[in-house]
Amino acid sequence: MKDFPYTESKDTRSGFGAGLHELGKTNPNVVALCADLIGSLKMDAFVKDFPERFFQVGIAEANMMGLAAGLTIGGKIPFTGTFANFSTGRVYDQIRQSIAYSGKNVKICASHAGLTLGEDGATHQILEDIGLMKMLPHMCVINPCDYNQTKAATLAIADYEGPVYLRFGRPVVPNFTPADQQFEIGKGVLLNEGADVSIFATGHLVWKAILAGKLLADKGINAEIINIHTIKPLDARMILESARKTRCVVTAEEHQMNGGLGDSIAQLLAREEPLPLEMVAVNDSFGESGTPDQLMEKYGLNETAIVAAVEKVMARKTK
Amino acid sequence: MAQSTASETHAPEATKSVAELQQIATQVRRDIVRMVHAVNSGHPGGSLGCTELLVSLYFKVMQHTPEPFDMNGIGQDLFFLSNGHISPVFYSVLARSGYFPVSELATFRKLNSRLQGHPATHEHLPGIRIASGSLGQGLSVATGAAQAKKLNGDQSTVFVLMGDGELEEGQIWEAALYAPHHKVDNLMAFVDRNGQQIDGPTDKIGGLGDLRAKFEAFGWRVLETDGNQFETLLATIKEGQGLLGQGVPVMVLMDTQMGFGVDFMMGSHKWHGVAPNDEQLATALKQLEVEKASDY
């Protein structure tokens, strides 16, 4: 099992804030909108240095999505910022009609996704957002794993023409992605080569998959670990290549089973290469209040759960 | 006012007389009833009621370039239709002002058409800049487009039309709060105050009340006008243009009659989304006779 050294832990939302600030300097068409959550989205630096390109919308997310769609008419590249819950479910019809169906170049940037939002509880812990967004035709859906990757993704989506959903979060997690690693939309990142099982993880579960890989190595299981940061378009080629080699698959994500990364990969395998698959994800449940670590443990989204899923799926492999 | 001067001087057909606009409006109304009759669906009531406004904007007021169509519309006045169900009047006016061939009106609501039931950009119909139909979204979009113009140093104006029943949507009031607060003063919004919605009179259903007082309380400059009389409507638009550029957006409450121009459709919510039958079409076309009619 490869080692993944890191010098510090950081929150992915700060990677977004840093990327947005850099875009402010390098791309004059980038504008930002926020629904009363500048500090939470780490947009402070952009607001301070580019006030004429920042729009404080207040607690009015539906209006924010419409404004963003309008700003593209005139060549702007709007980045909207609020919590994942208010970036998707609350404004689904606005995104559907004014952004996705209208083909507008809006970047929907969503923080505090999933259980790791913690103590605020289920009202704010959206676990359906990937599914909601990936169902929209032509919507690109990205869920990076750490600070450096979130920053790189933020820079990359500015150069991508079309609507994008960029999902990140609040907790501090190991920042192991090399700072100079290019972010390629739709391309998985091979983290560890292995032969016994393929683990496809996204977002905060990527680090958990690495931890699981070490535990598995101690048991003599050689796991291939791939970071699928782009859920749509899915890197079908890389996923199928790995699955054909290892003959069994585990998916891991901070999301509902329905509609998430596991659901996309299950569809792909069912069509192209039916193989045993286990999903590490929330099973048809809302979250609750608690610390992020407590919640990830209770809802089965940690390295222990991944190890258990690997053992289960390997037992299902045809001999 | 940079906005109003530019519009009046450079609108492609700014010299059109009221009599000429009237002729165009009658032709547009013929298009509307024929389009909805042909597919036995669509929304004639609001379309007929807003004909004077769209003809005024596209044939007199707006500075715009139909061909080649530019999505970003830099340097052009822009119009957004928030109540997308009145697509027949929008399509007719776009075709007759040169955005696409008039003959294409015959494809309205048919399979493989660019003229979807509600306006869409998806099929790349020139003149459409946003999809609309699900109500309440157009004021936000128009406000965003107006702010893009400001960032671009573009002096032109953004116009948007909403239905009065549509004002029951909460997003309208989010945008109504936002635009004056952000001094979006290159924006002129219109409300088609025909007093009707699908289930009956707006005041029975939504309780819209005193719209002037409501929008003034939100910080808009509010004008009221008869939306079915060219002289008064054009005078109001001109007055509104004179109020732009002063830190405040302009809202025009436009009293119209649903179905205006076809006597049996006038003033009733029953013609919101119902097409005329063969006999009703013949009656309507008789009332909409126009010199040198050029039906598609």
Side-chain angles (χ1 to χ4, degrees):
Chain A
M1 176 73 188
K2 245 174 83 180
D3 200 29
F4 294 90
Y6 62 94
T7 53
E8 56 180 342
S9 289
K10 286 169 128 174
D11 46 355
T12 50
R13 59 179 170 160
S14 288
F16 163 69
L20 185 66
H21 186 238
E22 192 167 317
L23 285 171
K25 290 183 265 188
T26 57
N27 190 332
N29 285 324
V30 166
V31 299
L33 304 90
C34 187
D36 196 32
L37 287 169
I38 293 170
S40 296
L41 268 286
K42 303 294 180 187
M43 295 169 90
D44 319 63
F46 186 95
V47 175
K48 179 173 166 283
D49 288 344
F50 311 102
E52 73 291 347
R53 285 193 273 150
F54 174 75
F55 303 97
Q56 172 60 270
V57 181
I59 311 164
E61 295 83 6
N63 187 39
M64 178 163 75
M65 294 305 164
L67 290 167
L71 280 158
T72 66
I73 302 164
K76 302 302 159 198
I77 306 171
F79 282 62
T80 67
T82 182
F83 288 173
N85 191 29
F86 314 134
S87 294
T88 57
R90 189 177 181 95
V91 291
Y92 198 64
D93 188 45
Q94 284 76 19
I95 294 175
R96 181 178 181 274
Q97 176 172 284
S98 292
I99 296 174
Y101 183 41
S102 293
K104 297 305 182 200
N105 194 23
V106 174
K107 315 304 170 187
I108 301 161
C109 302
S111 186
H112 293 55
L115 292 174
T116 50
L117 168 141
E119 292 80 353
D120 279 348
T123 52
H124 290 50
Q125 290 161 344
I126 193 160
L127 294 162
E128 305 84 37
D129 54 325
I130 291 174
L132 287 170
M133 290 298 109
K134 82 176 187 184
M135 277 196 293
L136 292 170
H138 313 306
M139 178 67 75
C140 176
V141 180
I142 297 172
N143 188 23
C145 67
D146 64 7
Y147 173 97
N148 281 344
Q149 190 166 70
T150 308
K151 183 179 176 189
T154 304
L155 299 176
I157 62 176
D159 293 329
Y160 170 93
E161 178 71 31
V164 174
Y165 179 62
L166 180 67
R167 177 197 215 231
F168 42 89
R170 181 176 184 232
V172 166
V173 293
N175 183 28
F176 68 92
T177 299
D180 60 352
Q181 186 178 89
Q182 283 284 314
F183 188 90
E184 286 187 74
I185 294 171
K187 294 288 287 177
V189 180
L190 175 64
L191 295 172
N192 190 62
E193 278 192 60
D196 299 329
V197 60
S198 298
I199 303 175
F200 300 112
T202 193
H204 293 141
L205 267 288
V206 172
W207 183 253
K208 306 283 186 196
I210 289 170
L211 295 178
K214 289 176 183 162
L215 295 172
L216 290 164
D218 292 343
K219 295 172 181 248
I221 296 170
N222 186 10
E224 180 141 296
I225 303 172
I226 295 178
N227 172 6
I228 303 292
H229 52 61
T230 307
I231 291 105
K232 188 182 171 190
L234 195 63
D235 190 347
R237 195 186 56 79
M238 184 182 254
I239 291 166
L240 287 171
E241 260 179 31
S242 175
R244 282 175 177 138
K245 179 176 69 174
T246 64
R247 310 306 294 168
C248 67
V249 168
V250 167
T251 62
E253 62 196 306
E254 191 181 349
H255 190 271
Q256 299 285 353
M257 281 186 193
N258 279 328
L261 170 67
D263 163 307
S264 290
I265 291 180
Q267 287 186 42
L268 175 70
L269 293 180
R271 281 196 308 267
E272 304 286 339
E273 190 76 53
L275 286 168
L277 173 139
E278 292 292 331
M279 296 183 192
V280 173
V282 175
N283 187 8
D284 200 28
S285 166
F286 289 104
E288 64 183 287
S289 292
T291 67
D293 284 345
Q294 287 171 338
L295 291 165
M296 295 296 263
E297 187 184 345
K298 176 167 178 178
Y299 289 85
L301 302 183
N302 58 13
E303 59 273 27
T304 320
I306 295 173
V307 168
V310 166
E311 288 173 337
K312 192 173 173 192
V313 84
M314 283 183 65
R316 293 173 56 203
K317 268 208 239 191
T318 30
K319 303 281 180 274
Chain B
M1 288 329 319
Q3 285 93 342
S4 63
T5 313
S7 302
E8 282 160 33
T9 318
H10 303 296
E13 312 196 41
T15 52
K16 284 233 181 316
S17 68
V18 167
E20 287 169 307
L21 294 174
Q22 200 72 61
Q23 292 277 307
I24 297 166
T26 306
Q27 177 68 65
V28 166
R29 288 193 159 97
R30 290 179 69 86
D31 292 344
I32 292 166
V33 293
R34 293 180 71 242
M35 285 164 76
V36 298
H37 169 264
V39 287
N40 194 29
S41 73
H43 298 78
S47 293
L48 294 167
C50 291
T51 299
E52 278 77 15
L53 175 68
L54 269 78
V55 168
S56 295
L57 292 177
Y58 278 86
F59 288 90
K60 182 89 177 171
V61 174
M62 283 170 34
Q63 181 192 340
H64 62 116
T65 309
E67 172 69 43
F69 173 63
D70 171 27
M71 176 58 80
N72 285 337
I74 306 283
Q76 301 184 47
D77 294 328
L78 306 182
F79 172 76
F80 292 94
L81 181 68
S82 188
N83 47 333
H85 57 275
I86 69 164
S87 57
V89 65
F90 196 14
Y91 293 149
S92 169
V93 166
L94 286 176
R96 299 220 170 254
S97 57
Y99 281 84
F100 56 86
V102 171
S103 59
E104 204 169 337
L105 295 177
T107 70
F108 173 60
R109 283 182 170 245
K110 291 180 180 164
L111 192 62
N112 300 321
S113 172
R114 298 196 293 180
L115 281 63
Q116 291 293 298
H118 293 79
T121 58
H122 193 254
E123 287 73 22
H124 306 290
L125 184 68
I128 310 292
R129 291 190 164 87
I130 196 84
S132 59
S134 176
L135 295 171
Q137 301 184 30
L139 187 59
S140 302
V141 173
T143 303
Q147 291 196 293
K149 285 203 178 291
K150 282 182 173 283
L151 285 173
N152 289 335
D154 179 342
Q155 297 290 305
S156 49
T157 301
V158 175
F159 299 92
V160 57
L161 171 62
M162 297 164 277
D164 53 356
E166 183 180 10
L167 302 183
E168 291 158 16
E169 292 282 4
Q171 188 183 345
I172 294 283
W173 301 97
E174 293 183 5
L177 198 59
Y178 178 95
H181 180 62
H182 286 263
K183 300 184 167 47
V184 184
D185 59 5
N186 53 345
L187 174 67
M188 192 184 300
F190 294 84
V191 173
D192 174 23
R193 192 162 60 179
N194 60 26
Q196 307 289 332
Q197 59 190 105
I198 294 178
D199 280 352
T202 49
D203 272 338
K204 263 194 165 170
I205 289 161
L208 296 177
D210 187 345
L211 287 178
R212 178 179 198 114
K214 285 186 168 78
F215 280 112
E216 280 178 348
F218 275 64
W220 292 70
R221 289 295 294 268
V222 180
L223 302 174
E224 295 182 74
T225 191
D226 183 336
N228 291 132
Q229 299 300 328
F230 274 114
E231 290 88 348
T232 42
L233 179 59
L234 287 167
T236 305
I237 294 171
K238 195 167 182 178
E239 185 186 351
Q241 287 176 311
L243 296 170
L244 294 173
Q246 297 174 21
V248 181
V250 173
M251 177 70 63
V252 180
L253 303 174
M254 193 178 71
D255 291 316
T256 69
Q257 282 201 63
M258 194 176 259
F260 191 80
V262 177
D263 61 5
F264 61 89
M265 291 185 177
M266 274 166 73
S268 166
H269 66 89
K270 295 196 177 99
W271 288 94
H272 166 86
V274 174
N277 62 27
D278 293 350
E279 196 182 324
Q280 289 163 331
L281 175 69
T283 310
L285 289 177
K286 205 158 185 189
Q287 292 172 23
L288 296 171
E289 281 181 355
V290 58
E291 215 182 310
K292 295 183 208 154
S294 63
D295 291 342
Y296 61 88

